[in-house]
Amino acid sequence: MDQVAGAIADPVRREILMMLREGRLSAGEIAGRFPISRPAVSRHLRVLRDSGLVRDELVGRRRFYVLDTGPLAGLAEWMALLARPSGWEHRLDALETEIHRTRRERRVHGTTDQAKENTA
Amino acid sequence: MDQVAGAIADPVRREILMMLREGRLSAGEIAGRFPISRPAVSRHLRVLRDSGLVRDELVGRRRFYVLDTGPLAGLAEWMALLARPSGWEHRLDALETEIHRTRRERRVHGTTDQAKENTA
DNA sequence: CGAAAGCGTAACCTACAGGTTACGCGTTAG
DNA sequence: CTAACGCGTAACCTGTAGGTTACGCTTTCG
């Protein structure tokens, strides 16, 4: 959970995650949408990979990144625990169920090309 | 939300927040539970105050800190948005939930002594 | 096969986060 | 009134996060 919290803390990484929400993207496609250099983005992607928030799929000479919201569950649980008397934690519960549902449907994003899976 | 994410990212600050869940604590009481120096804890408290996650109450020569989970809502919403499959219907849903979010008083920790409120 | 595309890694630099000690200021106690 | 307490701030040091350029490896294409 520590790694997840750290990964979330950076605005560039948060934006990358939001990009990946609409489907997988190659490293170059992601880097092209930022004003910073490609290696900088590459290292942000490495942090996200280590945290488990993204998976990568090697397709030819390209590397696609896929969002994986699973690791968010731990952080969500911590937040819910912290805010127990608050009232908005119901949305966090919803988030967790959503995460589990997404876990089942993850294969929808996978298209029909072969890819060597490189999960962190 | 950026400040909240940054505040959450540090393990010491997370532990402070968990401590405050059971009631307000003075700066000295908090610092006494960590192996690091008191000024270091003081600056962690400053970060938490700036993020809005804690409020402070001056009582005599002591300064009590009180948990405020309100600012977590923004981050929670972002996480929920990320975990959902992309689509504008879901965004509307989240917006609606945010608008009707309850602002009920969190007077639970407040005891009966007078205190000058110093919210960030 | 040789050249170009697509990415990650290495080496390097700078800014800042997080730690320490020294200090100052307001408040309580004696 | 003076001394001690409680706490924040200033000044300083160090490790690391995040940026850059240079480079190397693998895959595709002429």
Side-chain angles (χ1 to χ4, degrees):
Chain A
M1 187 201 73
D2 207 73
Q3 283 186 316
V4 174
I8 295 297
D10 187 272
V12 172
R13 288 194 287 267
R14 278 202 305 271
E15 198 173 338
I16 291 177
L17 291 175
M18 288 305 274
M19 286 178 181
L20 291 176
R21 194 169 49 112
E22 295 160 15
R24 69 179 200 180
L25 291 172
S26 70
E29 287 169 333
I30 296 173
R33 305 190 187 186
F34 286 97
I36 63 181
S37 72
R38 194 187 52 69
V41 174
S42 183
R43 280 197 359 205
H44 280 301
L45 290 171
R46 176 153 164 52
V47 173
L48 289 173
R49 212 184 318 149
D50 291 345
S51 77
L53 286 169
V54 302
R55 227 171 332 124
D56 62 332
E57 301 169 354
L58 293 170
V59 177
R61 60 182 165 183
R62 297 198 289 175
R63 184 183 295 240
F64 286 96
Y65 286 90
V66 184
L67 178 64
D68 183 358
T69 56
L72 280 182
L75 183 58
E77 185 181 354
W78 181 85
M79 287 168 65
L81 187 62
L82 183 68
R84 207 167 34 197
S86 175
W88 49 263
E89 75 273 7
H90 302 310
R91 281 236 308 288
L92 279 181
D93 292 342
L95 168 63
E96 292 197 35
T97 59
E98 183 68 32
I99 286 174
H100 287 94
R101 194 176 62 78
T102 307
R103 215 187 272 276
R104 277 190 295 104
E105 296 176 348
R106 183 149 312 118
R107 256 171 282 183
V108 180
H109 278 316
T111 42
T112 49
D113 44 14
Q114 261 76 354
K116 302 177 182 80
E117 176 86 31
N118 275 12
T119 309
Chain B
M1 188 202 69
D2 207 72
Q3 283 185 314
V4 174
I8 295 297
D10 187 273
V12 174
R13 288 194 287 267
R14 281 200 304 271
E15 199 173 339
I16 291 177
L17 292 175
M18 287 306 274
M19 286 177 181
L20 292 176
R21 193 168 53 108
E22 296 159 17
R24 69 178 200 180
L25 292 172
S26 71
E29 287 169 332
I30 296 172
R33 306 190 187 185
F34 286 97
I36 63 180
S37 71
R38 194 187 52 69
V41 173
S42 183
R43 279 195 2 202
H44 279 301
L45 289 171
R46 175 152 162 53
V47 173
L48 289 173
R49 213 183 320 150
D50 290 345
S51 76
L53 285 170
V54 302
R55 222 172 334 123
D56 62 334
E57 301 171 353
L58 292 170
V59 177
R61 58 183 168 184
R62 297 197 291 175
R63 184 183 295 239
F64 286 97
Y65 286 90
V66 184
L67 179 65
D68 183 0
T69 55
L72 280 182
L75 182 58
E77 183 182 355
W78 181 85
M79 287 168 64
L81 189 61
L82 183 69
R84 277 187 153 71
S86 68
W88 55 271
E89 326 86 12
H90 300 299
R91 258 180 262 183
L92 275 186
D93 182 22
L95 177 62
E96 188 107 355
T97 314
E98 177 62 26
I99 287 177
H100 293 96
R101 189 165 64 85
T102 71
R103 312 173 192 278
R104 58 170 157 157
E105 290 297 321
R106 309 190 66 254
R107 201 182 298 261
V108 188
H109 297 318
T111 43
T112 50
D113 45 14
Q114 262 77 352
K116 304 179 181 79
E117 182 74 39
N118 274 12
T119 311

